[in-house]
Amino acid sequence: MKKITFERTKNYKIKGNITVKVTSYNNGEIEVKGSKCKQNNLTNYKKISKTEYVNTKTGEIKQYKNTEYKRIENVKRAMKNLNDILKNNFTGGTNEIFLTLTCEENITDYDYVREKAEGFIKKLRQTYKGLEYVFVMEQQERGSWHIHIWIKDTLHKKLYIDNEEVYTIWKLGYTKTERVEATAVDVEKTIGYMKKTRGKEKLPADKKAYYKSRGIKKAKTEEMQYERFYNEMGKSAVYVSGITLHVKSAKTGKIINTHFKETWKEDKHNEER
């Protein structure tokens, strides 16, 4: 396998004819991602079993990385999806709360705790109408599972649930109820807390990393040329930041692939004009 190195840079001009994926979030953020591949060896590989693949060019047979590695990679992928979902649906403020539910006893049964969490939310929604939610399950060092739930009220401008009420409904242990402030820092901090992989490494392979209500929607993603993005969206938005990752051959120093991401923000002042 070829040895590669990575180089990050912020000064990279994206050409108009490069195909990019543009994701638009409800909070006004626009994310542009793309790659420029000078060399692609993936077509040289073919799967021959659950554990092995072959290099069709050389005939060399190799094994996939172990199940533990794949499980951790699946969790990382799920947390990336969770990051996008939270960014698209939560902005902080008086109609949102963040709950932590723990188990006093050392309950290691994933399905039992998940069912209790779903029952808790069902009871909560019977009293408080219009609630949408996302929750994740994390495992403590002792083995017990606990829950983090981000809830928003879609019918009212303010949501208040006393922690005593949360504790009474949950019944299994300590609870904490917090307000997520409507600031970029507080929202990003809460998203980061929910999407962290620590505590999810031992998630059973056939279990989900997060759960959400039907009203929680994924962000809209379109594939287009960069020139079209800039003309249709970029001109009326504000450029926030950009990062580029060059994948280089360790032997020659030549760039193999280039991956880039830009973040833009809808310009509300421009819309008003």
Side-chain angles (χ1 to χ4, degrees):
M1 185 173 288
K2 291 186 175 181
K3 292 183 178 181
I4 57 176
T5 60
F6 301 94
E7 179 184 290
R8 288 180 179 270
T9 179
K10 294 183 179 180
N11 300 316
Y12 182 77
K13 186 173 178 59
I14 303 174
K15 294 183 179 179
N17 61 353
I18 291 180
T19 300
V20 295
K21 287 185 177 181
V22 180
T23 303
S24 303
Y25 297 97
N26 287 332
N27 63 0
E29 187 174 306
I30 305 170
E31 191 175 79
V32 183
K33 289 183 177 180
S35 298
K36 184 178 181 182
C37 301
K38 294 187 177 180
Q39 181 178 333
N40 189 350
N41 293 324
L42 293 178
T43 55
N44 295 334
Y45 296 96
K46 184 179 180 180
K47 181 179 179 180
I48 56 177
S49 72
K50 289 184 178 180
T51 59
E52 295 178 321
Y53 62 94
V54 61
N55 185 325
T56 55
K57 193 173 182 180
T58 65
E60 184 180 9
I61 296 177
K62 293 190 175 185
Q63 288 190 332
Y64 289 112
K65 293 186 176 179
N66 60 48
T67 305
E68 179 70 14
Y69 172 85
K70 289 168 68 176
R71 186 157 61 87
I72 293 173
E73 286 301 303
N74 287 340
V75 170
K76 289 180 179 179
R77 194 177 301 112
M79 290 303 98
K80 181 184 178 302
N81 292 335
L82 176 62
N83 175 77
D84 292 346
I85 287 171
L86 294 176
K87 280 174 63 175
N88 193 54
N89 291 275
F90 296 91
T91 57
T94 57
N95 70 324
E96 297 181 14
I97 57 172
F98 186 76
L99 305 180
T100 299
L101 313 177
T102 67
C103 300
E104 186 176 348
E105 296 182 17
N106 190 23
I107 304 176
T108 59
D109 187 327
Y110 173 96
D111 288 323
Y112 177 81
V113 178
R114 175 187 55 78
E115 289 172 5
K116 288 295 183 182
E118 290 174 343
F120 166 83
I121 293 171
K122 185 177 180 180
K123 288 182 180 179
L124 211 59
R125 296 177 94 187
Q126 288 173 350
T127 304
Y128 301 89
K129 306 300 181 182
L131 298 188
E132 301 294 345
Y133 66 87
V134 175
F135 79 81
V136 297
M137 295 182 59
E138 294 180 0
Q139 199 169 29
Q140 298 172 317
E141 289 185 10
R142 62 176 179 150
S144 183
W145 293 95
H146 66 279
I147 314 292
H148 295 300
I149 313 175
W150 201 340
I151 298 175
K152 73 173 181 179
D153 188 333
T154 60
L155 299 180
H156 309 94
K157 292 183 179 180
K158 188 172 183 178
L159 173 65
Y160 175 77
I161 305 175
D162 192 273
N163 191 56
E164 285 295 323
E165 183 179 0
V166 173
Y167 177 81
T168 302
I169 298 173
W170 175 239
K171 297 179 181 179
L172 295 180
Y174 169 83
T175 62
K176 187 176 182 180
T177 305
E178 301 174 88
R179 176 76 66 198
V180 181
E181 298 298 330
T183 65
V185 173
D186 212 43
V187 171
E188 288 174 11
K189 180 181 177 181
T190 307
I191 290 176
Y193 190 69
M194 287 193 76
K195 72 173 186 177
K196 69 181 187 295
T197 56
R198 184 171 57 83
K200 304 181 183 76
E201 302 94 334
K202 295 182 179 180
L203 191 75
D206 60 337
K207 306 302 180 183
K208 294 169 65 175
Y210 64 87
Y211 297 83
K212 65 183 183 67
S213 54
R214 291 183 180 179
I216 298 296
K217 303 299 182 182
K218 290 184 177 180
K220 182 181 178 182
T221 299
E222 294 182 86
E223 196 170 274
M224 64 183 74
Q225 289 192 328
Y226 186 82
E227 183 178 19
R228 179 189 157 196
F229 154 73
Y230 184 75
N231 289 332
E232 294 182 5
M233 304 169 74
K235 286 183 177 180
S236 58
V238 178
Y239 176 84
V240 178
S241 63
I243 189 71
T244 303
L245 181 68
H246 294 300
V247 183
K248 293 184 173 183
S249 166
K251 184 178 181 180
T252 65
K254 291 183 178 180
I255 295 176
I256 301 171
N257 298 325
T258 296
H259 307 284
F260 55 84
K261 182 179 79 171
E262 290 184 347
T263 302
W264 297 68
K265 192 79 172 179
E266 291 178 2
D267 187 353
K268 294 183 181 180
H269 297 294
N270 187 70
E271 292 178 357
E272 292 172 358
R273 290 195 294 268

